[in-house]
Amino acid sequence: MRLGRSGPQQQELGIRIPRPLGHGPSRFIPEKETVQVGSEDAMMHALFADSFATLGRLDNVTLVMVFHPQYLESFLKTQHYLLQMDGPLPLHYRHYIGIMAAARHQCSYLVNLHVNDFLHVGGDPKWLNGLENAPQKLQNLGELNKMLAHRPWLITKEHIEQLLKTEENSWSLAELIHAVVLLTHYHSLASFTFGCGISPEIDCEGGHTFRPPSVSNYCLCDITNGYHGVDDIHASPAASIPTTESVCEVEALMEKMKQLQECRDEEEASQEEMATRFEREKRESMFVCSSEDEESAPTRDVSRHFEDTSYGYKDFSRHGMHVPTFRAQDYSWEDHGYSLVNRLYPDVGQLLDEKFHIAYNLTYNTMAMHKDVDTSMLRRAIWNYIHCMFGIRYDDYDYGEINQLLDRSFKVYIKTVVCTPEKTTKRMYDSFWRQFEHSEKVRSSDASRTTLCSESYYSLYDLMSPAACRRWNVPQLQYGRGRYEASGPMVAIN
């Protein structure tokens, strides 16, 4: 940088000034269409203040998630409790588990944030050289981490009991509950980060460059004032002039919702037919893949935080592998998971319960330019489609509705965000719901939080093995059909 002195001479001070690589909090959403700091309403301002007080910064996840203040409030409360409040695990373990979870999905953005937090709370820098340098207790968690992230349907009671064995490096049940909640939280947050194209902040790795700007027709003072000369570079589907095709897309979707509701009122499919439609949708979901669906090696800096780098998502019905369908009715979060979590890690059950309900019910009754629309049918189709990809079935849902409501471009996007989030691209984001607002598209990415619910189903279900239940005096589940069935009275939680 050159600074003027008295007279025409200038002196090179050798100070390198970074400039942001991105423009705004998201690579997918034009900066001018995000919530601008300083123009937010009172509720958003309070959330910004809470986020800043907790994190010491106003991060880009917050700036995108604030499209939905109610969800952001629940998210911030849950994350603050998991990381900073009293709990079974020490603070540095919590951040290291966050690193392990984010690394499994190659999310360097979250990894780098928690590396800094890990060191700030006194974590040993040697652990950051690789998982093999961490305590054996954390290394033992690696198997559960990779299965939760990529193939949760393969988790069995043996995986859980191995971690709970009475030995030097074993986990208590309360510690394991805390660890599982952290793992699932950061797996789903990695999906949201990639699904919304979250950009690193200017002070983070990958968020800045020292190269001189290459965009012409503006001066250096424009960079200083935050103008980057790229307003016209980012094409926005929501901001563009509506095309006949995209408007028809919205109208066609609303018409399908109306027709399906009329069919529901007229007749109801039998249980056998509903089961057949679920199996059909489960098989069809295997063939939903994008042109970017290629094996991608994790970066070295991220992959050192986990083992078995070749392990990733595989459709559970491929390669002749048979996995029993997980019937949602066989396991109730309200009756089983909530009780277990709240007993061993007080208040977290309530926070997760609130988060699940907000994620499922969040709506503003809008669809693109239409107001006062009942979106419950569409929201349930998205929720159940994601669960279907993980082998979870709701007996009372007609899975034939999914193909009616979710087109291929949406399925490609949501499956990528949920199963291989690191492969999500702006092209995928732009290709679905082209006439919808960005807040609505972010809402669909929020639905990827369903993965948190899916992972919780499998992990908490197996945490309630008979041995664990007897040890901690919680309601026992009996084995049946490869999983468990409930037995005995449930513990009442006030």
Side-chain angles (χ1 to χ4, degrees), residues 42-69:
M43 181 179 183
M44 290 181 180
H45 182 79
L47 290 171
F48 284 165
D50 289 343
S51 179
F52 188 85
T54 301
L55 305 173
R57 62 167 61 227
L58 195 55
D59 67 355
N60 286 341
V61 167
T62 298
L63 291 174
V64 172
M65 202 179 287
V66 79
F67 272 126
H68 304 290

Side-chain angles (χ1 to χ4, degrees), residues 6-176:
S6 57
Q9 294 182 344
Q10 291 182 324
Q11 181 181 3
E12 178 66 56
L13 299 181
I15 300 174
R16 296 200 304 165
I17 304 297
R19 63 184 183 89
L21 276 177
H23 309 289
S26 167
R27 294 181 292 109
F28 298 169
I29 307 171
E31 184 174 10
K32 62 185 178 182
E33 296 183 40
T34 59
V35 176
Q36 301 298 305
V37 178
S39 63
E40 70 275 7
D41 60 27
M43 181 179 183
M44 290 181 180
H45 182 79
L47 290 171
F48 284 165
D50 289 343
S51 179
F52 188 85
T54 301
L55 305 173
R57 62 167 61 227
L58 195 55
D59 67 355
N60 286 341
V61 167
T62 298
L63 291 174
V64 172
M65 202 179 287
V66 79
F67 272 126
H68 304 290
Q70 185 184 12
Y71 185 83
L72 175 59
E73 181 180 24
S74 175
F75 167 82
L76 291 174
K77 280 196 304 184
T78 303
Q79 183 165 268
H80 175 70
Y81 197 95
L82 291 175
L83 293 177
Q84 300 186 33
M85 301 299 286
D86 289 342
L89 295 175
L91 296 183
H92 64 300
Y93 263 53
R94 304 180 196 192
H95 289 291
Y96 196 82
I97 291 170
I99 292 170
M100 291 173 61
R104 265 303 355 162
H105 281 313
Q106 306 175 35
C107 188
S108 57
Y109 173 82
L110 293 177
V111 169
N112 291 333
L113 288 180
H114 282 282
V115 163
N116 293 332
D117 291 335
F118 172 78
L119 295 173
H120 180 72
V121 297
D124 187 344
K126 293 179 182 177
W127 297 10
L128 301 176
N129 293 329
L131 183 59
E132 67 276 7
N133 295 290
Q136 187 62 47
K137 184 172 182 174
L138 285 168
Q139 293 184 44
N140 293 345
L141 194 64
E143 183 76 7
L144 184 62
N145 179 29
K146 78 175 187 181
M147 297 181 76
L148 277 173
H150 305 298
R151 308 176 199 176
W153 53 86
L154 296 182
I155 297 172
T156 66
K157 66 181 181 66
E158 285 77 20
H159 293 108
I160 301 301
E161 290 172 354
Q162 185 67 30
L163 292 168
L164 295 173
K165 281 185 175 179
T166 306
E167 55 185 37
E168 183 181 356
N169 297 310
S170 66
W171 294 72
S172 71
L173 191 56
E175 288 175 331
L176 192 53

Side-chain angles (χ1 to χ4, degrees), residues 7 17 20 43 56 118 129 146 178 183 188 201 206 209 254 307 313 315 318 342 366 441 453 478:
I17 304 297
M43 181 179 183
F118 172 78
N129 293 329
K146 78 175 187 181
H178 195 172
L183 290 173
S188 64
E201 291 80 16
T209 182
M254 293 183 64
E307 299 173 326
Y313 173 80
D315 290 297
R318 282 189 178 179
N342 243 32
T366 62
K441 301 185 81 164
C453 190
Q478 301 294 339

Side-chain angles (χ1 to χ4, degrees), residues 197-227:
I198 300 297
S199 300
E201 291 80 16
I202 189 172
D203 60 324
C204 294
E205 183 178 334
H208 62 267
T209 182
F210 293 105
R211 295 177 181 175
S214 59
V215 179
S216 58
N217 300 323
Y218 65 97
C219 66
L220 187 61
C221 62
D222 290 324
I223 302 177
T224 307
N225 293 326
Y227 174 71

Side-chain angles (χ1 to χ4, degrees), residues 255-267:
E255 181 61 27
K256 286 179 182 177
M257 290 167 60
K258 179 182 176 181
Q259 292 173 358
L260 286 171
Q261 185 59 54
E262 291 173 351
C263 291
R264 280 183 182 178
D265 297 337
E266 292 175 2
E267 59 178 337

Side-chain angles (χ1 to χ4, degrees), residues 289-302:
C289 59
S290 67
S291 58
E292 290 86 2
D293 189 18
E294 302 172 354
E295 295 293 333
S296 57
T299 61
R300 186 184 63 170
D301 287 342
V302 173

